[in-house]
Structure formats: C-alpha cells, structure tokens
Amino acid sequence: MVRNYIRKTTRRAWTVTQLTGAIRDVRSGQSTNSVCQKYAIPKRTLRRYLEKQGGTKGNVVLPHLGNFVPIFDEEQEDRLVGIIIRMSDCGYGLTSKDVRSLAFQFAETNNITHPFDMEKQHAGLGWFIGFRRRHPNLALRTPEKTSMARSTGFNRAAVNVFYDNLERIYGSSVYSPDRIWNADETGFSTVPNKSSKVLAVKGRRQVGAISSAERGVNTTVMMTVSAAGQYLPPMFIFPRQRMNDALKIGAPAGSIFECNPSGWSTVSTCTKWFDHFLAYARPTAEAPVLLILDGHSSHTKNVEMIEKAARNNVRILSIPPHTSHKLQPLDVSVMGPLKTKYGQAVDRLLRREPGRVVTVYDVATLVNEAFEATATMKNAVAGFRATGIHPFDTGLFSDADFAAATNLIASNRTADKNVQTEAIKPTPSTAAQFITFSMCENNSYMTTQDKPGHDDLIQVNGCELLQFEIPHQERNEPEFGWEVSGDSEFLTVDPNVYYTVEKNGAVTIQRLEATELNELLTLEEQQLDTNRNSVSLIDHAARDGPDTTKVTKFELSPEPVGPAPVARKRKSQKRKGEQSEELTSTAYRERLLKQSAEKEVKNIKKGQRRNKRKKADTNTDTDVLCPSCGVRFSDSIDGRGWMMCLKCRVWYHSECGSNDEMMCEACS
C-alpha cells in the first residue's frame, strides 16, 4: 500500500454511525430529505440501504472501496494491540522491529494472506506506519530502566500492607497536609549522568560535550517535603573526613552539613538530620507529625532516632522495599526535575568558564540553583497525590501497574516448581490422572492431584490428623487413576504418615506412633521400600494376610542415568522479612532494641575471641627460651631483663650473656 496515499474523491465521506442514525430516524417517521441534510448522506444512498434487508434489520455492512485490501481486520489488529500493551505493562515492551516480526508471525499462524517479506520474516515499514496511524494510542517511548527487585517488589500484597498501615494511622489522629512529611536521600555527582540535548550538524557521527572528568564525586543531599508544599532546607553529606567551610558556599539558606568518608547517609548523619527536622516541624501532642521514609538501614535501624520520634509526637512509617519509584512522593515528582535542572546548571557553568572543572566545592551552589527552580508547591503536592498518600486513595493503582510483578512472581513459582517437584511416573493406564508428591524443606510431603483445574496442595507438618476435600468432576472412572477396592485405601509415603483416600474424594492424613504402626502393619508391609524414592499404594481391603496384599509401586526414577544435578538455589531479590511498618510503634521499637542488644553482645563475644586469638599468636611468636638458663620469656614481667643478640638474633637473659652486652654467650 502507498505510504502517503491521498484520496482523490469524496465518495463515502460519511461513517457507519451516521448511516445507522439516518436509518433509525427515517424508520421513526422523519422525512428522507431532512435526514439526508442532517447526516450529509446522499438520498439515493440512504434509499438503497433502506431497501436492503440488512438495512431493514439495522445491521449495516459496508463494502470495501478501492484496490488496497487491509491485511488484518479490526478484530485482529485489536488482538495485536492487546499483546503490545500487555508486554509493555510487564516491562518487556516491543520495539518497532519486534512489532513487525510479531505481525508476520500472526499472519503465518492464522493463515492470512500477506505481502510481507518471507526472507526477513517481518512486516514492511509502510505497514508499521499505517498501523501506528490507525492506533494513535500507541507511541514510541523511551522506557525507564527498572531493576528486577523493583519490578517484583511493587506487588499488590506489599502495597496493600502499606495502605493498611497508613489508614490505621489516619484513623488514630487527624493529620493536616502540613503535618505529613516525606524525606529521602539522593546523590549529586560532579559529572551528571544525563546530558542535555544540543544542536549540531545533521549527519555528524559523534557530538561531544565537555565534562569535568570521566567519573564524578558523589555528594548525598537529604530532601524533605510536606503534602502542603513546604520544603525544609536540605542536608548535605560530603565525602570527606573533615568539614571545610568552603563547601557551604552558595547552599540554600538554613541548610546543614555533615561529612563522612563514604559520602552516604549513616545512622549518625540521619540522627542529626532528624534534629534539624524537629526544629522546623515542631510536633506537639495536639498537632502530631507523620513522617514517611524508605527502608534504608539508617532509618529503620536507627534506635536513637526512633526513640526520639516517639518522645516528640512523630510517627514514622516506612514504605515497602523497592517501591520508592511508585510510593515515595519525592521520587515521583521532585527528584527527577531537580536532577534535570542540576545537570543544566553544570552545563551552564562549564560554558561560562571554559576549562573549569566542577568539584565538590561547587555542588552546594549548583544544587541551590536547581532547588530554587524546582522546589515548587505544585511539584510537592503532585507527588503526594500520585502516590495516594494525600488525599488518601487506596485504589490508585490498577492491575496494569502490578502486571510486571504478577508476571515475574508467577514465572519464578513455575520455575521453582519445575526444579524442585519430583513427580510419580504413571503407568500407561493411569497416564491421565495421578497424584504428585513433592518433598518440602522440612522433610514433609506435598501432594496435588495432577489434573487440569486441580491445584489444591496438601502439606504434612507432623500434625496428628488433617482432612482435606479435593474437588473433582462427576465421572465414572476412578478419581486418582488406580483401581479402588473396598471403602478406602492407604497411600504410604512416609513410614509415619498415612494418606487415606475415601471414595468421595476426601483425603485424610494421619501420623501414627511406632507402637500403632507395629500393630497396623504386617511384617511384609514393614519391609516395603519407604526411602522416599518410591511410593506404595496398598489396598486396604486386602489386609487379611501378607499373601493377599496387593501392592502397586511407581518408581520416582525408574531408569537412573546418574546423580541428579543439584539445583542452584535462586537468590531472592527482595529483602526477607521487610515490609511497610510503623517504626515508632511499641512492638517495632521493642524488636529493634532487642536486635540491637543481641548485635552488641555478638560483637563483644566476637571481639573477645579475636583478642584471645591475637594473644595466643603473640605468645607463640614471642615465647622463647634463654639458650643458657632455659627460662621462658613469658615468665618474665613485661620482658624486662632480656636482650637480643646482634649476631644470631636470639633472645637471651642479660644475666646469662657474655662480657659483651650486645652478644650472647655463644657468639662472644
């Protein structure tokens, strides 16, 4: 099809909607002339469609005009659009080349006649341009890199916990917008990561921009903002051992400064910032303050700050791990513009003073320039609104926002199940239905009916009696795939655990003592293989004697070809045991104090062991014998009365030496 085709006639300028409305009005009693003028449809055209049986029924079907026939109809293109949107929501967006390849595969799979390139196996560029024109809701976007931890961390369960905690806090006290605060750290490098676009000659292969160095020096700045649009003077943390007043030049008024060798926020610097926060926020019992922080250890493990907050009517709520890009107001609407303006300020400084190198002494001035341009009330209020913190909105995020986490978590579960589950190999007669047993980490078993639509898991954890109902369809054949004799049967998997399957599908799991087992099992049944490499199905109705016992055995690995490879344990991307919590709650403070005390005791014991080893090593190296009298060096006090021979480098008693005070008796 011609890419920029222009119609040469005005034939069929009306739409199907206009024609349908015109037919409806005529059938309701209006004149044909007035309806044709109203909808701009020719009279002969309207009469022709009224005479057709389809027009009488109201189902208008328009024939195709022109020589160019579309490859996909509207329904098929809508399916393509749905695939593209789902992939984008899951974090695996398709490029233009991917979409063209997808169109080719779609046409081949559905046997649709197409003019696409069979050698390259993708649709042409003209089709892609027309596809975008037909679907203006799709646009080429530059995606923002999102780590795997953030993709999985922002899930519905974690976000619901955060909103539940926030709702509970709002229910206990009234917090006006000026009493709801958010604080976060960010880094400003002397060499910004992103450069501004510049004008250059078209077609030139490379366009350069002067920077201070290959890699910059990072300075941490802690920003604080309220839901009412108030900004606190920031805190600067420079990567230095000692503070220099020259670093403070040009900083925003009221800023505070701190130094440490790494330049990152620590427990001590965070505590100092909190004192700065209390001086500005001024919380009282009548007007408490809510402070929202991320889960950094300098916030959540800071005993001094949390205790001080509890005494000063400040409630601290942490957001779930790896969700700051969605739930932290500063990250959503303030930090991005601030970093952009900072990079522009660095570029202006380098253009003003050619040959100038940006150092940490310029950071405060450059941050102040960016801070004045972006620290607006509009940006602050938008951040709290976009995260649902204020105004409080728990339904802000849709399923599309959690699509990436849902897809990745489901994929991880499927992969783990495929690696860890050991399934019973069915016989040909029972290939359609059987039970799968899987060994858990605590040596218990999990079983599921391996049938579509039956994913109920049964787990044995040493309990005395558990009964689970397994749903099943009404059918004539046996439910679990083996012949049922009598009222029930026993499934022996563990020597101490019995699974009883009733005819109605109920499964009873029972753990028996050793004495009960001896009474229940015969000698031959006790000799059955129970080493968890096989599963025995024992007919309970044939227990009258050992000769009449019917045993059917399914080996887990009937043809071993060697030792099974050990599956590498998948590292969890999410910090275990962490979620959104109120840091100033009594339970959290008690748990934190206990952890802090246990850590101190552990460090003390570790230091004692280190000192003991060090002392032992010192004694081993320095505990020598005098070559003359045989006295040990360790028996002396502080090594007094001992000398080293300058010739043989041996320690000896000064009393046992020769007349020469610098040599032992043997060397003199």
Side-chain angles (χ1 to χ4, degrees):
M1 181 178 179
V2 180
R3 185 179 303 176
N4 298 318
Y5 176 76
I6 300 176
R7 292 193 63 185
K8 300 178 177 57
T9 66
T10 58
R11 184 182 179 189
R12 195 188 290 178
W14 39 268
T15 63
V16 178
T17 304
Q18 291 174 317
L19 179 60
T20 305
I23 293 174
R24 183 182 61 251
D25 292 348
V26 171
R27 293 171 62 186
S28 64
Q30 298 183 26
S31 65
T32 305
N33 292 336
S34 62
V35 170
C36 290
Q37 293 178 1
K38 178 180 178 181
Y39 291 97
I41 298 177
K43 185 184 297 185
R44 293 182 61 183
T45 301
L46 181 58
R47 288 178 177 176
R48 184 172 66 253
Y49 278 98
L50 285 171
E51 292 174 357
K52 291 182 179 180
Q53 186 177 1
T56 305
K57 294 182 179 180
N59 299 325
V60 179
V61 179
L62 300 179
H64 177 71
L65 293 180
N67 297 325
F68 302 108
V69 180
I71 300 171
F72 304 118
D73 56 26
E74 293 184 3
E75 182 181 357
Q76 292 169 343
E77 285 205 350
D78 289 341
R79 290 173 60 187
L80 286 175
V81 171
I83 295 173
I84 295 171
I85 293 176
R86 283 197 301 273
M87 293 297 292
S88 176
D89 292 339
C90 293
Y92 297 98
L94 303 179
T95 64
S96 59
K97 191 172 182 179
D98 294 334
V99 174
R100 292 162 63 187
S101 177
L102 177 65
F104 176 86
Q105 298 174 21
F106 187 83
E108 287 289 320
T109 304
N110 294 277
N111 298 322
I112 299 174
T113 304
H114 61 83
F116 300 150
D117 192 338
M118 297 297 296
E119 181 180 355
K120 296 182 179 179
Q121 295 190 351
H122 60 68
L125 184 61
W127 176 88
F128 179 72
I129 294 175
F131 177 77
R132 286 190 56 191
R133 188 182 296 117
R134 290 189 296 274
H135 302 279
N137 59 321
L138 299 179
L140 285 175
R141 301 282 301 275
T142 301
E144 181 179 352
K145 293 183 179 179
T146 307
S147 65
M148 186 67 66
R150 285 194 171 190
S151 299
T152 56
F154 187 75
N155 56 79
R156 188 176 293 278
V159 173
N160 286 343
V161 171
F162 170 73
Y163 282 132
D164 290 343
N165 291 332
L166 188 60
E167 185 176 12
R168 177 174 49 82
I169 292 175
Y170 283 162
S172 60
S173 267
V174 177
Y175 293 90
S176 56
D178 60 321
R179 316 303 290 177
I180 303 173
W181 294 83
N182 174 230
D184 187 30
E185 302 92 350
T186 188
F188 291 92
S189 176
T190 54
V191 180
N193 296 329
K194 185 182 294 185
S195 300
S196 302
K197 292 184 178 181
V198 297
L199 290 175
V201 177
K202 187 176 182 180
R204 181 165 294 179
R205 297 182 60 183
Q206 185 178 6
V207 178
I210 299 296
S211 63
S212 298
E214 296 292 336
R215 301 179 65 179
V217 180
N218 189 72
T219 300
T220 301
V221 178
M222 192 159 187
M223 308 289 298
T224 314
V225 64
S226 73
Q230 302 164 313
Y231 291 82
L232 256 65
M235 177 182 184
F236 291 82
I237 305 174
F238 294 100
R240 294 173 58 89
Q241 191 69 36
R242 298 179 184 85
M243 191 63 199
N244 190 334
D245 289 340
L247 297 170
K248 306 178 182 179
I249 297 176
S255 301
I256 59 176
F257 307 89
E258 191 65 25
C259 290
N260 62 55
S262 66
W264 298 101
S265 177
T266 61
V267 171
S268 60
T269 57
C270 188
T271 304
K272 183 176 180 181
W273 165 85
F274 189 72
D275 294 334
H276 173 67
F277 172 75
L278 291 177
Y280 277 85
R282 297 180 180 179
T284 61
E286 294 76 18
V289 167
L290 172 61
L291 178 61
I292 298 174
L293 301 172
D294 58 22
H296 193 267
S297 59
S298 62
H299 308 154
T300 59
K301 307 300 181 184
N302 195 334
V303 180
E304 183 180 357
M305 184 189 76
I306 293 175
E307 290 296 328
K308 190 177 294 186
R311 293 193 302 267
N312 288 275
N313 304 297
V314 177
R315 300 182 74 170
I316 302 178
L317 177 64
S318 67
I319 63 176
H322 310 300
T323 59
S324 59
H325 62 298
K326 294 283 190 178
L327 294 179
Q328 181 123 264
L330 280 168
D331 277 355
V332 171
S333 65
V334 177
M335 295 302 189
L338 183 65
K339 289 289 189 69
T340 301
K341 292 295 182 181
Y342 173 80
Q344 295 174 0
V346 172
D347 293 340
R348 285 194 295 269
L349 176 62
L350 295 176
R351 286 197 297 267
R352 272 197 318 265
E353 304 178 22
R356 171 74 178 273
V357 176
V358 179
T359 65
V360 291
Y361 294 94
D362 303 313
V363 171
T365 303
L366 296 172
V367 170
N368 183 32
E369 186 176 343
F371 186 74
E372 291 178 350
T374 59
T376 62
M377 181 182 296
K378 180 181 179 180
N379 287 348
V381 173
F384 283 88
R385 186 191 311 112
T387 55
I389 296 176
H390 183 82
F392 184 63
D393 185 6
T394 59
L396 184 66
F397 300 106
S398 62
D399 292 338
D401 297 308
F402 301 109
T406 304
N407 176 63
L408 291 171
I409 292 174
S411 301
N412 292 339
R413 287 177 178 174
T414 304
D416 293 340
K417 183 178 180 181
N418 293 338
V419 170
Q420 298 175 3
T421 302
E422 294 179 314
I424 302 174
K425 305 298 182 182
T427 60
S429 61
T430 62
Q433 303 171 355
F434 56 93
I435 292 183
T436 301
F437 294 89
S438 305
M439 186 183 299
C440 304
E441 295 180 358
N442 57 354
N443 293 328
S444 60
Y445 282 87
M446 298 184 72
T447 177
T448 177
Q449 185 178 354
D450 194 359
K451 237 175 44 173
H454 294 265
D455 298 328
D456 301 301
L457 293 179
I458 303 173
Q459 185 172 5
V460 182
N461 291 319
C463 49
E464 295 181 0
L465 184 64
L466 293 175
Q467 183 168 343
F468 298 83
E469 292 289 336
I470 296 183
H472 61 276
Q473 300 174 355
E474 295 182 359
R475 50 196 303 166
N476 298 326
E477 59 268 33
E479 178 66 19
F480 294 102
W482 58 79
E483 194 66 31
V484 179
S485 302
D487 297 333
S488 62
E489 60 188 7
F490 277 84
L491 283 70
T492 305
V493 179
D494 187 278
N496 302 323
V497 180
Y498 276 80
Y499 301 72
T500 306
V501 183
E502 306 295 338
K503 273 191 171 182
N504 59 358
V507 177
T508 302
I509 303 174
Q510 187 174 6
R511 179 175 289 276
L512 304 177
E513 300 296 336
T515 56
E516 298 176 348
L517 286 173
N518 293 332
E519 296 175 0
L520 181 63
L521 299 177
T522 62
L523 180 61
E524 184 174 350
E525 291 172 343
Q526 293 181 17
Q527 295 175 354
L528 292 175
D529 185 14
T530 56
N531 60 356
R532 293 180 183 148
N533 290 326
S534 63
V535 178
S536 301
L537 306 179
I538 304 173
D539 188 357
H540 182 56
R543 287 184 174 271
D544 298 334
D547 296 336
T548 59
T549 302
K550 179 182 178 182
V551 178
T552 305
K553 189 174 182 180
F554 296 129
E555 294 291 340
L556 292 177
S557 301
E559 297 179 1
V561 294
V566 179
R568 185 172 59 183
K569 188 176 181 181
R570 187 188 300 273
K571 291 184 178 180
S572 175
Q573 297 288 344
K574 186 176 180 180
R575 296 191 291 263
K576 293 183 178 180
E578 293 189 18
Q579 59 180 357
S580 173
E581 292 187 271
E582 184 184 350
L583 305 184
T584 48
S585 63
T586 304
Y588 183 86
R589 287 158 52 201
E590 291 179 352
R591 187 167 73 250
L592 183 60
L593 289 172
K594 183 179 178 181
Q595 292 175 356
S596 178
E598 291 176 351
K599 185 176 180 180
E600 290 182 3
V601 171
K602 184 178 180 180
N603 291 337
I604 291 173
K605 292 181 178 179
K606 186 176 180 180
Q608 290 176 349
R609 290 194 299 268
R610 188 185 298 111
N611 293 336
K612 188 176 181 180
R613 288 195 302 268
K614 185 176 180 181
K615 185 176 180 181
D617 295 341
T618 304
N619 292 339
T620 302
D621 295 338
T622 60
D623 196 10
V624 296
L625 300 177
C626 177
S628 300
C629 63
V631 176
R632 290 182 177 275
F633 177 80
S634 58
D635 295 338
S636 62
I637 302 175
D638 298 333
R640 295 176 183 175
W642 286 75
M643 298 183 64
M644 178 184 286
C645 177
L646 294 178
K647 189 174 183 180
C648 64
R649 312 297 294 178
V650 173
W651 287 90
Y652 64 93
H653 262 122
S654 57
E655 299 175 355
C656 301
S658 61
N659 295 330
D660 189 351
E661 297 181 355
M662 304 304 293
M663 290 188 181
C664 64
E665 186 177 5
C667 297
S668 60

